[in-house]
Amino acid sequence: MAIATSFATGSLAGEYDITVDRITLETGDFSKTGIGYNGSSTPTVLRFKEGEEVTINVTNNLDEDTSIHWHGLILPYQQDGVPGISYEGIKSGETFTYRFPIVQSGTYWFHSHSGFQEPDGAYGAIVIEPKEREPFRFNREYVVQLTDAHPHSGDRIMRNLKLMPDYYNRQQRTLLDFLDDSRDRGLASALDDRSAWGEMRMMPTDVEDLQGFTPLINGMGPSQNWTGLFEPGERIRLRFINSSAMTYFDIRIPGLQMTVVQADGNNVQPVTVDELRIAVAETYDVIVRPTEDRAYTVFAESMGRTAFARGTLAPRSGMEAEVPDLREPPLLTMADMGMAHGEHGSMDQGAMGQGAMDHGSNQPTHTMPDSRVMQGMNHGTMDHSAMGHGTMGQSSGQPTHIMSDGSVMQGMDHGTMAAAPADPFYAPGSGLTPQAADGGKFLSYADLKAQKPLYEHRDATREIELRLTGNMERYIWSINGVKFSDAEPIRLQYGERVRFKFVNETMMTHPMHLHGMWSILDVGQGKWNPIKHVVSVAPGTTVFMETEVDAPGQWAFHCHLSYHADSGMFRKVVVEGGPVGKSADLDTTSNHATGG
Ligand SMILES: [Cu+2]
């Protein structure tokens, strides 16, 4: 075979050209001017082979600077494509040539790291064929690249969010909802609940802070119905990529189960599910096997249930299957505000703009009055030290979700909690814990195990705590209460194994993305912990990841929600030291970067 020959002679190399252009985006709901690659609103798919030396010439046809970041690829930092950290970016009219070896396989993507070009359409897919045979079989494959196309430009969205953080939240609860609550729960508790949310200056519907978008699959809106063809009985590999600016999707294909075989480009031990949630910037490869001669809907609901992407798998083009309705939007509970675990001592009340909440005076516990731990929490099988719940206040007796004014918080609904199995990646009692549409299996991070560990397992040499913080009222997002423009870089030493502790003190879910090095997500499986490039942290939870610091240079580390990254939830990481001749010549003072 040609590939084998190429490897033998060491000459496998490919050259690729990409132009960055103004394009017109037609979603079926609206049309707007956006940014695309190679003159097209259909995302470009780059196909590489593991071991290949790639040369990619990127020509900027815009009248502004651009950049391309190769999301999830392990490469020299000067090729990473983040203006202000990796390089200066690509000026209007110029061509920048990237050169790097492809040292991995799997599904990845690329996007602009300049301003809001990515939300405006500047994204594409990367598929890398492995050197060795894959541990699963498939007859054909499709890239299924999701995004949340918005009629407003990214710049306009950011301006509006800064003026009015709930500008795009169309699900604010109404008087009618309030009367419903009063009828269901009694007027007093409805009032208490209402005032608690009011004091926190947020809404229980703040699951998505950007609404009004049209989800696309491979550049096509629901009415345009992207379709992938199959022959009944074939195994089809779907490479899901979430290239949204802001939107998590819950994906299902009614009538088909999905066997997850890769997460973020790395093989995982296969797990068969009915539905999965894909965080912004994640990728999941699944295999489906439709046996019937009929169409199936690929249905991806936004996590806040305000919109859906829809595509079709069918034996012949033009076929359609039933399209499900959106489910009821989830409502945040006080558990999502960090009330569900014992991290309150570290909450920065000032930064959260919630001076009225007196966390100090109530012990958040999930211990029943008779001091039994609540059923359904499944603490027995949870590895507390690994999951970071070692500080949970289990012993102090009172089941208190009591506000400072003495009212008991609503929305915790302990009765129904007992029935649902606990998922350590969602705060207990959370309104966000996903459930499969028809009662089937929903993928959890806890299900992900590496097929083949990339690293020898060892204890971390150091722990770094990163509290995810924000001020919803001013639309400022930060880490440890400090936004990027005021922050010192995170300094790592080559050869360390660093354990990152994410404590989400906000009401939003944040997909945290470290460039240049793998993020080993701690699901309590030791050497089998999955290897990822994005780690999603739900409200009120503490999540750990570890990184073998094996890439000298300077890297970006940020929330992948575009408007969170831009408003400050972003850090520069400097890796000091390294093998002789390999350590980077660092500019460790500059702290300027843009984009998500
Ligand atoms: Cu965020």
Side-chain angles (χ1 to χ4, degrees):
M1 258 179 67
I3 300 167
T5 310
S6 300
F7 276 118
T9 59
S11 63
L12 184 59
E15 186 152 351
Y16 305 82
D17 296 320
I18 293 178
T19 62
V20 190
D21 308 293
R22 289 274 163 208
I23 49 112
T24 301
L25 205 65
E26 303 277 1
T27 69
D29 290 336
F30 62 87
S31 105
K32 77 162 185 179
T33 301
I35 297 174
Y37 294 121
N38 298 324
S40 175
S41 61
T42 303
T44 294
V45 180
L46 292 174
R47 289 182 180 270
F48 303 141
K49 294 184 179 72
E50 186 180 358
E52 178 179 357
E53 290 279 340
V54 296
T55 300
I56 310 169
N57 307 303
V58 179
T59 300
N60 181 4
N61 293 333
L62 307 176
D63 55 9
E64 63 192 48
D65 285 14
T66 193
S67 58
I68 291 184
H69 163 59
W70 315 99
H71 183 108
L73 296 200
I74 300 299
L75 38 62
Y77 86 89
Q78 300 90 338
Q79 308 297 310
D80 193 46
V82 181
I85 292 186
S86 325
Y87 71 160
E88 289 309 308
I90 310 170
K91 300 257 172 274
S92 175
E94 289 187 352
T95 297
F96 183 88
T97 299
Y98 292 87
R99 283 192 187 88
F100 51 89
I102 301 295
V103 299
Q104 63 205 102
S105 62
T107 304
Y108 303 90
W109 61 296
F110 63 97
H111 61 83
S112 170
H113 230 285
S114 300
F116 297 110
Q117 292 177 357
E118 179 223 285
D120 289 340
Y123 65 89
I126 298 173
V127 171
I128 308 174
E129 184 186 309
K131 268 184 195 176
E132 293 171 16
R133 201 166 66 80
E134 291 184 282
F136 45 84
R137 294 176 183 281
F138 54 96
N139 304 103
R140 66 172 89 200
E141 59 162 287
Y142 293 104
V143 167
V144 183
Q145 192 163 22
L146 294 149
T147 196
D148 51 355
H150 202 284
H152 292 176
S153 72
D155 285 329
R156 183 171 168 194
I157 289 168
M158 191 72 218
R159 279 199 305 276
N160 286 335
L161 287 169
K162 280 283 183 193
L163 283 172
M164 200 192 292
D166 59 359
Y167 188 95
Y168 293 101
N169 187 343
R170 297 177 185 178
Q171 287 192 323
Q172 307 232 356
R173 306 193 79 207
T174 63
L175 180 62
L176 207 61
D177 295 329
F178 177 69
L179 292 173
D180 280 349
D181 286 358
S182 305
R183 195 184 56 229
D184 294 348
R185 305 203 298 234
L187 183 62
S189 79
L191 276 171
D192 285 342
D193 194 26
R194 204 47 62 112
S195 70
W197 286 107
E199 282 164 9
M200 287 195 287
R201 314 222 184 285
M202 43 179 269
M203 304 292 295
T205 49
D206 275 337
V207 176
E208 289 170 352
D209 48 1
L210 179 68
Q211 299 172 7
F213 52 89
T214 296
L216 309 182
I217 289 178
N218 298 336
M220 298 174 79
S223 62
Q224 297 164 326
N225 191 21
W226 171 84
T227 298
L229 297 181
F230 70 85
E231 306 254 1
E234 281 185 325
R235 291 174 203 270
I236 308 160
R237 176 186 194 164
L238 302 174
R239 299 175 182 267
F240 288 113
I241 304 169
N242 188 351
S243 299
S244 295
M246 295 296 284
T247 306
Y248 281 55
F249 287 102
D250 290 347
I251 299 172
R252 68 189 200 264
I253 307 173
L256 293 179
Q257 287 198 306
M258 303 180 282
T259 301
V260 179
V261 293
Q262 271 188 5
D264 290 1
N266 291 291
N267 291 336
V268 294
Q269 296 177 28
V271 51
T272 298
V273 300
D274 297 280
E275 189 165 346
L276 65 86
R277 173 166 297 172
I278 186 168
V280 168
E282 283 185 326
T283 72
Y284 284 100
D285 286 40
V286 309
I287 291 178
V288 297
R289 193 176 192 184
T291 52
E292 294 172 54
D293 183 54
R294 68 158 174 109
Y296 296 85
T297 294
V298 178
F299 191 67
E301 250 173 312
S302 77
M303 181 167 71
R305 309 289 184 245
T306 64
F308 63 84
R310 171 254 188 152
T312 299
L313 298 175
R316 292 170 296 283
S317 55
M319 293 176 75
E320 294 186 37
E322 193 185 336
V323 179
D325 292 328
L326 286 170
R327 285 169 285 183
E328 282 293 303
L331 292 181
L332 293 165
T333 71
M334 289 300 170
D336 297 307
M337 278 306 302
M339 300 298 290
H341 57 75
E343 294 291 347
H344 296 94
S346 59
M347 271 184 89
D348 181 353
Q349 304 285 350
M352 299 295 296
Q354 302 165 21
M357 274 184 79
D358 182 5
H359 286 107
S361 69
N362 53 14
Q363 286 294 321
T365 75
H366 292 282
T367 309
M368 302 306 284
D370 61 1
S371 75
R372 275 179 305 119
V373 172
M374 281 196 301
Q375 296 305 304
M377 297 286 294
N378 202 11
H379 285 120
T381 58
M382 272 174 74
D383 179 351
H384 284 120
S385 58
M387 302 307 301
H389 292 141
T391 55
M392 277 179 86
Q394 295 292 346
S395 57
S396 49
Q398 292 302 311
T400 47
H401 292 285
I402 297 172
M403 304 302 294
S404 51
D405 62 358
S407 60
V408 175
M409 284 198 301
Q410 298 302 307
M412 293 295 295
D413 199 0
H414 288 136
T416 57
M417 272 182 67
D423 185 320
F425 289 95
Y426 298 91
S430 171
L432 293 182
T433 309
Q435 290 186 349
D438 299 313
K441 165 78 181 151
F442 203 110
L443 182 73
S444 165
Y445 270 177
D447 298 320
L448 298 176
K449 297 183 191 73
Q451 176 85 23
K452 196 174 162 191
L454 285 182
Y455 298 94
E456 201 171 312
H457 190 62
R458 61 166 174 153
D459 288 337
T461 49
R462 184 154 72 109
E463 181 173 296
I464 296 177
E465 180 171 288
L466 299 175
R467 291 178 296 113
L468 309 180
T469 46
N471 181 334
M472 193 70 180
E473 224 179 331
R474 291 193 293 153
Y475 210 80
I476 291 172
W477 299 94
S478 52
I479 294 172
N480 294 336
V482 180
K483 62 186 202 291
F484 179 50
S485 52
D486 300 331
E488 284 297 310
I490 296 170
R491 289 173 195 283
L492 306 180
Q493 297 300 318
Y494 183 89
E496 283 189 293
R497 181 172 175 122
V498 175
R499 183 169 174 87
F500 290 100
K501 176 184 185 181
F502 296 110
V503 183
N504 189 347
E505 296 181 356
T506 78
M507 73 302 281
M508 305 291 305
T509 309
H510 304 285
M512 301 304 296
H513 172 48
L514 172 63
H515 292 219
M517 289 163 280
W518 290 113
S519 300
I520 306 168
L521 173 65
D522 192 342
V523 301
Q525 294 290 335
K527 68 186 272 202
W528 305 108
N529 282 331
I531 303 133
K532 301 188 83 269
H533 49 59
V534 169
V535 167
S536 179
V537 188
T541 65
T542 297
V543 172
F544 291 87
M545 74 175 206
E546 296 189 4
T547 292
E548 283 287 343
V549 181
D550 58 2
Q554 44 197 28
W555 305 98
F557 190 9
H558 59 96
C559 173
H560 220 285
L561 302 184
S562 295
Y563 308 102
H564 291 192
D566 187 79
S567 70
M569 198 175 268
F570 197 119
R571 282 295 182 275
K572 178 157 116 180
V573 167
V574 176
V575 175
E576 296 170 333
V580 176
K582 276 207 138 180
S583 63
D585 179 18
L586 302 178
D587 162 21
T588 58
T589 52
S590 161
N591 212 5
H592 170 76
T594 51

